[in-house]
Amino acid sequence: MSSEVYSRFIERVKELNTTRAVQALLEWDQETYMPPRAAQDRARQVALLAGLAHAQLTSDELGGLLEQLERQGVGDDWAAKTNLREIRREYERAVRLPRSLVEEIARTSTLARNAWVQARKESRFPGFAPHLEKLLELKRQAADLIGWQTERYDALLDEFEPGAQAARIQRIFDAVRSELVPLVAAISQARRQPDRSIRRRHCPRDAQEAFNRRIVAALGFSFEAGRIDVSAHPFCTGLSPCDVRLTTRYDEQYLPMALFGVLHECGHALYEQGLDAAHTWTPMAQSVSLGIHESQSRLWENQVGRSRAFWQHWFPQLQQTFPSLADVSLDAWVFVINTVEPSLIRVEADEVTYNLHIMLRFDLERQMLEGRIAVRDIPQAWNAGMQALLGITPPDDARGCLQDIHWSMGIFGYFPTYALGNLYAAQFFAAAQRALPDLEQQLARGEVGPLREWLRQNIHRHGKRYRADELVRLVTGQALSPQPFISYLHAKYRPLYGLDT
Amino acid sequence: MSSEVYSRFIERVKELNTTRAVQALLEWDQETYMPPRAAQDRARQVALLAGLAHAQLTSDELGGLLEQLERQGVGDDWAAKTNLREIRREYERAVRLPRSLVEEIARTSTLARNAWVQARKESRFPGFAPHLEKLLELKRQAADLIGWQTERYDALLDEFEPGAQAARIQRIFDAVRSELVPLVAAISQARRQPDRSIRRRHCPRDAQEAFNRRIVAALGFSFEAGRIDVSAHPFCTGLSPCDVRLTTRYDEQYLPMALFGVLHECGHALYEQGLDAAHTWTPMAQSVSLGIHESQSRLWENQVGRSRAFWQHWFPQLQQTFPSLADVSLDAWVFVINTVEPSLIRVEADEVTYNLHIMLRFDLERQMLEGRIAVRDIPQAWNAGMQALLGITPPDDARGCLQDIHWSMGIFGYFPTYALGNLYAAQFFAAAQRALPDLEQQLARGEVGPLREWLRQNIHRHGKRYRADELVRLVTGQALSPQPFISYLHAKYRPLYGLDT
């Protein structure tokens, strides 16, 4: 009996996630191949599927099956337990929000997004402010309906990082900040600096494309179960473990954009392709959280992709592919791809300054949500924060508080997952180094198989079996800590910039 | 009141056709970019949307709205009348088939398709025969449930060519056949023959791609509202008038494949882009029938694309693009692109022999459906038919009765629409020539605007307002007739092959 009920439950769950996979394809197509005039029609298609997914998730049938299964239990089957727990969580989040509120948030963010585009173009925050105000009010309502214990922000954060709590993140961020701010200042004043012009050498697009394909294939990305395309804003989307698509963009005068962009997205893709296909379209074949997802992209992009060991193997091939780099030494290359400099735009920030950008947003979001800061004061608070954290002040709002799209889409609680990703990455990589004492030598020989398989076994294949917290403990032997990230930065950047000499 | 009910009706209709547009995207992606390992997951996605579309079409709500609108009427609004008539037609076809039968047909054709692939590979018809037998039995049941007046075949034909009747098609085909068979024989024996080697000259793929893009842009295809991609089997799909995608395939040693393939699909695409976007996702922005659709592709491919006038303008540019054609004369080019030769494979047939391939299939389908021929006798009947019509006999079933996929998918009544397309095309083009007395000179100057606009005004913009029959009368002043096609062939091929000298 239980097994028959469970089968019906899983059938409904698979339908729900099949619908979402189709939605993901619509969005992928929109960013890659859709003809421009189709934009309005596409919005209608996306809305139809979003409505369908919502109806599937909140259906009485699914609710009834959840109840029935919870009453009778699913025994010791941890896959069933995981699926039940995660769908209950999604179901609760969905049914607590009345349709009218969901629709009002959707309508308001459509207007807000248009206003943001215009405001950013004109670099005039007041044009966006009333929309942000309204969105905040709606999101406060949503957070209260969803429910929270310590603070309202947690209800929103939970959508992207299940189980995370703002207060705990705050403590970790504080520890990171107190190390980062002086480190960034020291680096800025260091006498040794990389030759930044190396990044600007001409590299033909076709050769970039071929090289990137070679490198991700070597990392273990399967082109039988995935693709690489071009889009204005790089991303990775997994329709299923058998269909994982990443995108990039090319600049012939700035090789690192596509190269490290692809390494980053490939990290996401390896996670998606490493999920257990036997559980496709159930939580058991879904990523833990955005933070854990980001840890996989950052680990391959930074811990691996910006390491000297990695380039010992790949740099000769890079030079062969791009004759413009023929006279560059391995040391100069490793130095320039690890350039640290305070900058205005988050998405262009290096791995040392990046988290400071996030901390500023995290602070402001929490204050906004609690009404501890007036929306009209955001620009001033932003600029003061940038000055305090990075020692620079944006010349205008476009390069300041208007730079990111998230708030205009009503997304609050998302930014911290980027920084969590950096912390998880460092902590996972340190555990991998302990488990694979030969790791650095392996990377220097171009052998990435052991690291990838270690990630697969320890992280990817579990799907949502463990929450982020539990997974980190299980894999690294301790709770999330700022220490591995801080140690990693010091160990890497102090010698690079000659800070201890 | 009426208008509020009608709005609700149209909202449901748009949802239905939005779902189908998403299905079309899934299918387009499957043929163009989908990674190979995603095939099984994709089948699930397609099935989900097919089920959703079926539920939307057969919902009690839509049924109730149809009844209500029919009771109260929609006044003189011909758009509303058209939408009401066409959705009623679709609704009836759908609700008359019980779910169990639809599912059994789906299951049976999945097996049949696999069996057909294998049978064709081994060129062994008996491996496919039992599946064909079962499919025929199910399609007989379906036809009887849908209902028919003169003969059962009409119920199936009606799916693709609403309102068409086999008996009438038969009479028209008979008239065409009695002209074609002797014409083909005369051409085969003609002393003048084209230099076929011209078609085999090397033409680089990139140059083909660029030239094809230039030519379809000149014909009026909008890349703002469409794309060209590559697939194994060329097709054109319209998600909406703002999103029309065609595909082609390239052979560097056979220029005509992509060139005329793209002209053909571009004809389909101009129809889709020419539909009235104000009516997107309602029957008023849908094509009349497969036959009318095919007329648009054939008109641009053959009446325009294989005419001397067209190449007077384009041939110098073709020669500039492909140096391997530098020594070819315009006459030799026009002759070779109009090569006529009896051949075994329908999809490779020229415009003179093509309809004979169709007539053979039409005859056999009707006999099979009525049980007037045993399935086991198909190969023999096929080969006898090929001999009688084209004077050649297939050396095996793979190049005979197993060549097409249609029957294995349970599709009967589709083939005749290809031939109807050829007939409609000739009749429409003759009407265009009367309306645009300067047409030939225009084409010779590279001016295709007047012809395209004539097609838009007379055919495309009407959507499903008129049934095929009515449309043909309206546009050409008479019912569908074999005569324009026959006259077109004689006028073109007799001088080319020197038959009257």
Side-chain angles (χ1 to χ4, degrees):
Chain A
M1 171 58 183
S2 159
S3 128
E4 192 261 326
V5 177
Y6 184 70
S7 297
R8 274 168 50 211
F9 167 72
I10 283 297
E11 206 37 52
R12 293 291 85 77
V13 171
K14 284 188 178 170
E15 271 177 21
L16 166 65
N17 287 310
T18 302
T19 305
R20 289 168 171 167
V22 176
Q23 240 182 299
L25 182 72
L26 288 173
E27 280 153 12
W28 171 84
D29 180 73
Q30 185 166 347
E31 302 302 322
T32 52
Y33 295 114
M34 187 186 79
R37 279 186 45 210
Q40 245 187 312
D41 292 340
R42 178 55 49 88
R44 217 188 140 93
Q45 294 162 349
V46 170
L48 179 83
L49 289 218
L52 175 63
H54 187 260
Q56 287 168 327
L57 177 56
T58 59
S59 71
D60 292 343
E61 190 188 354
L62 189 61
L65 288 165
L66 277 169
E67 256 180 57
Q68 221 178 319
L69 286 170
E70 284 161 353
R71 227 179 15 246
Q72 52 188 49
V74 289
D76 287 334
D77 181 343
W78 52 262
K81 278 189 198 167
T82 301
N83 287 333
L84 197 53
R85 180 192 72 215
E86 291 299 323
I87 296 297
R88 166 58 76 190
R89 177 181 164 274
E90 283 199 55
Y91 178 84
E92 287 305 319
R93 285 190 67 93
V95 294
R96 288 181 190 179
L97 298 182
R99 200 188 172 92
S100 56
L101 180 60
V102 173
E103 285 173 357
E104 200 178 344
I105 290 174
R107 258 196 314 275
T108 308
S109 28
T110 302
L111 295 175
R113 188 141 49 143
N114 294 338
W116 168 74
V117 168
Q118 192 59 28
R120 191 170 74 151
K121 199 186 289 169
E122 299 168 359
S123 196
R124 244 182 52 81
F125 183 77
F128 175 53
H131 297 275
L132 180 54
E133 202 128 24
K134 180 149 187 219
L135 272 173
L136 281 166
E137 184 42 43
L138 295 170
K139 295 301 277 190
R140 279 182 205 115
Q141 286 177 36
D144 291 348
L145 286 163
I146 291 165
W148 46 270
Q149 295 192 309
T150 316
E151 71 174 89
R152 189 179 269 149
Y153 190 80
D154 290 349
L156 304 182
L157 180 61
D158 184 81
E159 182 177 350
F160 311 109
E161 199 67 19
Q165 287 169 326
R168 184 157 162 248
I169 292 177
Q170 178 70 64
R171 285 195 297 278
I172 292 170
F173 280 6
D174 285 346
V176 175
R177 175 163 25 204
S178 64
E179 291 282 340
L180 281 190
V181 172
L183 180 61
V184 170
I187 287 175
S188 299
Q189 287 148 27
R191 277 222 319 272
R192 281 192 64 187
Q193 289 291 337
D195 173 2
R196 290 164 168 79
S197 72
I198 293 168
R199 302 186 292 191
R200 292 276 166 206
R201 305 233 177 136
H202 183 80
C203 297
R205 191 196 135 133
D206 284 359
Q208 287 192 41
E209 205 172 319
F211 186 80
N212 290 350
R213 288 178 70 86
R214 200 140 61 86
I215 214 165
V216 300
L219 297 189
F221 178 79
S222 162
F223 284 96
E224 292 288 299
R227 314 184 32 84
I228 302 182
D229 298 277
V230 173
S231 71
H233 303 282
F235 65 96
C236 171
T237 188
L239 278 68
S240 81
C242 296
D243 193 349
V244 179
R245 305 178 183 204
L246 59 94
T247 69
T248 190
R249 53 184 168 178
Y250 295 95
D251 182 342
E252 298 203 326
Q253 297 304 127
Y254 193 72
L255 176 65
M257 186 163 73
L259 179 57
F260 290 98
V262 163
L263 285 174
H264 179 96
E265 302 305 337
C266 177
H268 284 303
L270 290 175
Y271 188 4
E272 293 285 327
Q273 289 189 339
L275 293 164
D276 186 349
H279 290 288
T280 293
W281 296 331
T282 73
M284 277 300 299
Q286 289 173 341
S287 60
V288 174
S289 68
L290 287 189
I292 298 296
H293 225 308
E294 190 74 3
S295 78
Q296 300 306 293
S297 58
R298 295 301 247 173
L299 186 149
W300 288 102
E301 177 194 354
N302 292 332
Q303 271 79 11
V304 175
R306 295 187 204 267
S307 72
R308 196 174 197 287
F310 182 76
W311 288 106
Q312 274 181 265
H313 174 75
W314 284 100
F315 192 58
Q317 301 187 43
L318 190 78
Q319 286 183 304
Q320 238 179 335
T321 309
F322 304 110
S324 62
L325 297 175
D327 65 332
V328 176
S329 71
L330 174 61
D331 283 334
W333 172 252
V334 172
F335 199 6
V336 77
I337 63 174
N338 286 292
T339 301
V340 174
E341 51 200 342
S343 62
L344 297 168
I345 305 298
R346 174 185 61 86
V347 297
E348 293 164 8
D350 57 81
E351 65 175 328
V352 182
T353 58
Y354 188 92
N355 284 0
L356 296 171
H357 290 263
I358 295 303
M359 290 170 194
L360 172 61
R361 287 157 180 76
F362 176 63
D363 273 353
L364 290 174
E365 281 189 350
R366 285 170 83 202
Q367 291 184 48
M368 279 193 278
L369 204 70
E370 293 302 338
R372 284 189 274 115
I373 183 173
V375 164
R376 68 172 175 279
D377 296 332
I378 297 285
Q380 196 193 330
W382 183 286
N383 293 351
M386 285 297 286
Q387 188 58 49
L389 292 166
L390 287 160
I392 53 177
T393 298
D396 51 41
D397 293 343
R399 282 170 284 183
C401 63
L402 285 172
Q403 68 183 263
D404 290 305
I405 197 173
H406 303 59
W407 294 342
S408 80
M409 296 169 75
I411 296 174
F412 303 91
Y414 189 113
F415 282 124
T417 68
Y418 291 125
L420 289 175
N422 289 325
L423 305 183
Y424 291 141
Q427 194 159 336
F428 286 146
F429 194 72
Q433 286 175 314
R434 291 192 298 272
L436 307 167
D438 194 32
L439 180 55
E440 197 174 332
Q441 291 73 30
Q442 288 169 355
L443 293 179
R445 290 193 300 266
E447 293 170 30
V448 292
L451 175 61
R452 185 189 59 242
E453 291 312 310
W454 185 88
L455 293 166
R456 288 232 154 121
Q457 289 310 310
N458 285 282
I459 300 169
H460 305 173
R461 74 183 170 95
H462 295 309
K464 277 195 192 295
R465 178 170 182 178
Y466 307 108
R467 287 277 160 84
D469 233 40
E470 212 181 340
L471 183 70
V472 171
R473 271 175 208 276
L474 211 65
V475 176
T476 72
Q478 59 169 357
L480 175 63
S481 151
Q483 212 43 63
F485 180 67
I486 292 168
S487 305
Y488 160 73
L489 290 188
H490 281 298
K492 179 170 173 181
Y493 287 95
R494 298 196 77 82
L496 260 185
Y497 278 87
L499 296 186
D500 300 313
T501 55
Chain B
M1 171 60 184
S2 160
S3 128
E4 193 261 325
V5 177
Y6 184 71
S7 296
R8 274 168 51 210
F9 167 73
I10 283 299
E11 207 35 53
R12 294 290 85 76
V13 171
K14 285 188 177 170
E15 270 177 21
L16 167 64
N17 287 310
T18 302
T19 305
R20 289 167 170 167
V22 175
Q23 240 182 300
L25 182 73
L26 288 173
E27 280 153 11
W28 171 84
D29 180 72
Q30 185 166 348
E31 302 301 322
T32 52
Y33 296 115
M34 187 187 80
R37 279 184 47 208
Q40 245 186 312
D41 292 340
R42 179 54 47 90
R44 217 189 141 93
Q45 295 162 348
V46 170
L48 178 83
L49 289 218
L52 175 62
H54 187 261
Q56 288 168 326
L57 176 56
T58 59
S59 72
D60 291 343
E61 189 187 357
L62 189 62
L65 289 166
L66 277 170
E67 255 180 59
Q68 222 178 319
L69 287 171
E70 284 161 353
R71 227 178 15 243
Q72 52 188 47
V74 289
D76 288 334
D77 181 343
W78 51 262
K81 278 188 199 168
T82 301
N83 287 334
L84 197 53
R85 181 192 73 217
E86 293 299 324
I87 297 298
R88 166 58 76 188
R89 177 181 164 273
E90 283 199 55
Y91 178 84
E92 287 304 318
R93 287 191 64 95
V95 294
R96 288 182 190 178
L97 299 182
R99 201 188 170 93
S100 57
L101 181 59
V102 172
E103 285 173 357
E104 200 178 344
I105 290 174
R107 260 195 314 274
T108 308
S109 30
T110 302
L111 296 175
R113 188 142 49 144
N114 293 339
W116 168 76
V117 168
Q118 193 59 28
R120 191 169 75 151
K121 198 185 289 167
E122 299 167 359
S123 196
R124 244 182 51 82
F125 183 77
F128 175 54
H131 297 275
L132 180 54
E133 202 128 25
K134 181 150 186 218
L135 273 174
L136 281 167
E137 184 43 42
L138 294 170
K139 294 300 276 190
R140 279 185 205 113
Q141 286 176 36
D144 292 347
L145 287 164
I146 290 164
W148 46 273
Q149 295 193 308
T150 315
E151 71 174 272
R152 189 180 269 149
Y153 189 79
D154 291 348
L156 304 183
L157 180 60
D158 185 81
E159 181 177 351
F160 310 110
E161 199 68 17
Q165 288 169 326
R168 189 162 156 244
I169 291 178
Q170 178 71 65
R171 284 195 298 278
I172 292 170
F173 280 7
D174 285 347
V176 175
R177 174 163 26 203
S178 64
E179 291 282 340
L180 281 190
V181 172
L183 179 61
V184 171
I187 287 175
S188 299
Q189 287 149 26
R191 278 222 318 271
R192 281 192 63 188
Q193 289 292 337
D195 173 3
R196 290 165 168 79
S197 71
I198 293 168
R199 301 185 292 192
R200 292 276 165 206
R201 303 231 178 138
H202 183 79
C203 296
R205 191 196 135 131
D206 285 358
Q208 288 192 40
E209 207 172 318
F211 186 79
N212 290 350
R213 289 179 69 86
R214 200 140 60 87
I215 214 165
V216 300
L219 297 188
F221 177 80
S222 162
F223 283 96
E224 293 288 300
R227 315 185 29 86
I228 304 182
D229 298 277
V230 173
S231 71
H233 303 283
F235 65 96
C236 171
T237 189
L239 278 68
S240 81
C242 296
D243 193 349
V244 178
R245 305 178 182 205
L246 60 93
T247 69
T248 190
R249 53 185 169 178
Y250 295 95
D251 182 343
E252 299 203 326
Q253 297 304 128
Y254 194 71
L255 176 65
M257 186 163 74
L259 179 56
F260 290 99
V262 162
L263 286 174
H264 178 97
E265 302 305 338
C266 177
H268 284 304
L270 290 175
Y271 189 4
E272 293 284 329
Q273 289 189 340
L275 293 164
D276 186 350
H279 289 289
T280 293
W281 295 332
T282 72
M284 277 300 298
Q286 289 173 343
S287 61
V288 174
S289 69
L290 288 189
I292 298 295
H293 226 309
E294 189 74 2
S295 78
Q296 300 306 294
S297 57
R298 294 302 247 172
L299 187 149
W300 288 103
E301 177 194 355
N302 291 331
Q303 271 78 12
V304 175
R306 295 187 204 268
S307 72
R308 196 175 198 286
F310 182 76
W311 288 105
Q312 275 179 264
H313 173 76
W314 285 100
F315 192 58
Q317 300 187 44
L318 190 78
Q319 286 183 303
Q320 239 179 332
T321 309
F322 304 110
S324 62
L325 297 174
D327 66 330
V328 176
S329 72
L330 174 62
D331 283 334
W333 172 253
V334 173
F335 199 6
V336 77
I337 64 173
N338 284 293
T339 301
V340 174
E341 50 200 343
S343 61
L344 297 168
I345 305 298
R346 174 184 62 84
V347 296
E348 293 164 7
D350 57 80
E351 65 174 329
V352 182
T353 58
Y354 188 91
N355 284 0
L356 297 171
H357 290 262
I358 296 303
M359 290 171 195
L360 172 60
R361 287 157 180 75
F362 176 64
D363 273 355
L364 290 174
E365 282 189 350
R366 285 171 83 202
Q367 291 184 49
M368 280 193 279
L369 204 71
E370 292 303 337
R372 283 188 275 115
I373 184 173
V375 164
R376 67 171 176 280
D377 295 333
I378 297 284
Q380 196 192 331
W382 183 287
N383 293 351
M386 284 297 285
Q387 188 60 47
L389 292 166
L390 287 161
I392 53 176
T393 297
D396 50 42
D397 292 344
R399 281 170 285 183
C401 62
L402 285 173
Q403 68 183 262
D404 290 305
I405 197 173
H406 302 58
W407 293 343
S408 79
M409 296 170 75
I411 296 176
F412 303 91
Y414 189 112
F415 282 123
T417 69
Y418 292 125
L420 290 175
N422 288 325
L423 305 184
Y424 291 139
Q427 194 159 336
F428 286 145
F429 194 72
Q433 285 174 315
R434 290 193 299 273
L436 306 167
D438 195 32
L439 180 55
E440 198 174 330
Q441 290 74 29
Q442 289 169 355
L443 294 178
R445 289 194 299 266
E447 293 170 28
V448 292
L451 175 62
R452 184 188 62 242
E453 290 312 310
W454 185 87
L455 293 167
R456 288 230 155 123
Q457 289 309 311
N458 286 281
I459 300 169
H460 306 172
R461 74 183 170 95
H462 295 310
K464 277 195 193 293
R465 177 170 183 180
Y466 308 108
R467 287 276 161 84
D469 233 40
E470 214 181 339
L471 182 71
V472 171
R473 272 177 207 276
L474 211 64
V475 176
T476 73
Q478 59 169 354
L480 174 63
S481 150
Q483 212 43 62
F485 180 67
I486 293 168
S487 304
Y488 160 73
L489 291 187
H490 281 297
K492 179 170 174 181
Y493 288 95
R494 298 197 77 83
L496 261 184
Y497 279 87
L499 296 186
D500 300 313
T501 54

